[in-house]
């Protein structure tokens, strides 16, 4: 696990460029980091699907609020995807340099964000009644 | 690395490959909803093509990645795959932007 650059680099140019420093960590950590990234991507996709679902629920929520909620959900999905990539990269780099892992910025954002979104959605449903 | 027999080299890559498959499935579901939201037939066709293309690409990369990792892990070589991660982030953000454009 000490070889940093093997001649037959697997990931290609981008992997070489993004993960140039440090040495290869325990492969279990790399795989776990990738699975965490995928879980975040699924969360982002669920947010996009939620936004599209709200946009399609024409008879439940009235027009301006519906568009606003749909755009908010989808935009949060894009943001979560971008932050998930950033977090994957920072964690992978920290693992390679044997440093402390980056703090979890995404988790509080998601819990507070979802709470606000849920309240907004309930309010929207009540107003539409 | 670790002593022999400390952990099984097959299960972790397989579990990661399954996580990739689940993510691809989520992409298809969110993408189909986007297709349903499209304001025109042309928009729906484009969205469907993009979603099918990204899903096919992800499935292909998942298979290739699982095979490659199975070969590389026993030798202690690098298994990180930044390109798949970048591609997945890109397609998710593209889908989110499509959803926003269709919802406006």
């Amino acid at each position: 696990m000490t070889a940093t650059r093997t001649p037959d680099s697997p990931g290609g140019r981008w992997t070489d460029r993004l993960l140039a420093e440090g040495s290869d960590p325990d492969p279990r950590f790399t795989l776990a980091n990738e699975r965490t990234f995928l879980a975040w991507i699924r969360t982002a996709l669920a947010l996009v699907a939620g936004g599209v679902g709200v946009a399609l629920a024409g008879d439940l929520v009235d027009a301006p609020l519906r568009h606003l909620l749909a755009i908010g959900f989808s935009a949060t999905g894009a943001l979560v995807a971008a932050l998930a990539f950033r977090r994957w990269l920072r964690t992978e780099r920290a693992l390679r340099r044997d440093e402390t892992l980056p703090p979890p910025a995404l988790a509080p954002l998601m819990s507070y964000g979802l709470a606000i979104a849920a309240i907004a959605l309930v309010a929207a449903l009540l107003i539409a009644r | 690395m670790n002593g022999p027999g400390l952990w099984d080299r097959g299960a972790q890559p397989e579990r990661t490959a399954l996580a990739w498959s689940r993510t691809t499935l989520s992409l298809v579901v969110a993408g189909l909803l986007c297709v349903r939201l499209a304001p025109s037939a042309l928009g729906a066709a484009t969205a469907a093509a993009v979603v099918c293309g990204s899903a096919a690409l992800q499935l292909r990369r998942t298979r290739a990645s699982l095979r490659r990792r199975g070969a590389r892990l026993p030798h202690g070589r690098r298994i990180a795959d930044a390109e798949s991660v970048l591609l997945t982030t890109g397609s998710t953000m593209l889908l989110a932007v499509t959803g926003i454009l269709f919802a406006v």
Side-chain angles (χ1 to χ4, degrees):
Chain A
M1 296 316 292
T2 47
T4 48
R5 303 289 286 267
T6 46
D8 52 338
S9 182
R13 212 156 47 88
W14 279 104
T15 308
D16 282 350
R17 189 179 294 181
L18 292 172
L19 303 174
E21 288 174 47
S23 59
D24 288 344
D26 188 324
R28 278 174 294 183
F29 301 154
T30 297
L31 290 168
N33 186 27
E34 195 170 304
R35 286 199 298 275
T36 310
F37 162 78
L38 289 170
W40 277 114
I41 285 293
R42 281 197 295 278
T43 308
L45 286 168
L47 280 167
V48 173
V52 175
V54 171
L56 287 171
D59 48 348
L60 283 178
V61 185
D62 289 334
L65 197 58
R66 188 175 71 232
H67 294 317
L68 209 68
L69 274 174
I71 290 166
F73 267 96
S74 291
T76 313
L79 181 73
V80 167
L83 288 177
F85 173 70
R86 181 167 162 267
R87 182 157 177 76
W88 177 85
L89 190 62
R90 289 178 72 188
T91 304
E92 198 65 32
R93 281 181 175 163
L95 285 174
R96 293 185 70 78
R97 293 190 196 132
D98 206 10
E99 286 172 356
T100 321
L101 294 185
L106 263 169
L109 177 90
M110 270 310 290
S111 38
Y112 288 124
L114 273 182
I116 292 167
I119 291 168
L121 204 55
V122 169
L125 285 171
L126 287 176
I127 289 167
R129 276 294 123 102
Chain B
M1 200 168 65
N2 303 293
L6 186 61
W7 62 289
D8 54 337
R9 296 189 155 98
Q12 286 258 355
E14 189 178 343
R15 207 186 318 154
T16 309
L18 282 170
W20 274 100
S21 303
R22 275 201 306 279
T23 308
T24 307
L25 201 63
S26 305
L27 179 82
V28 170
V29 171
L32 284 180
L33 270 172
C34 251
V35 172
R36 176 74 182 77
L37 182 69
S40 67
L42 186 67
T46 313
V50 169
V51 167
C52 290
S54 335
L57 188 70
Q58 272 191 20
L59 281 179
R60 206 181 113 80
R61 288 193 77 97
T62 304
R63 297 286 305 163
S65 181
L66 178 62
R67 197 156 15 90
R68 204 170 49 223
R69 281 170 172 167
R72 296 183 69 84
L73 264 178
H75 305 291
R77 298 207 210 121
R78 182 162 79 198
I79 51 160
D81 186 3
E83 269 156 53
S84 296
V85 168
L86 255 177
L87 266 171
T88 308
T89 308
S91 50
T92 306
M93 290 181 76
L94 187 70
L95 193 69
V97 170
T98 311
I100 291 172
L101 287 179
F102 284 172
V104 169

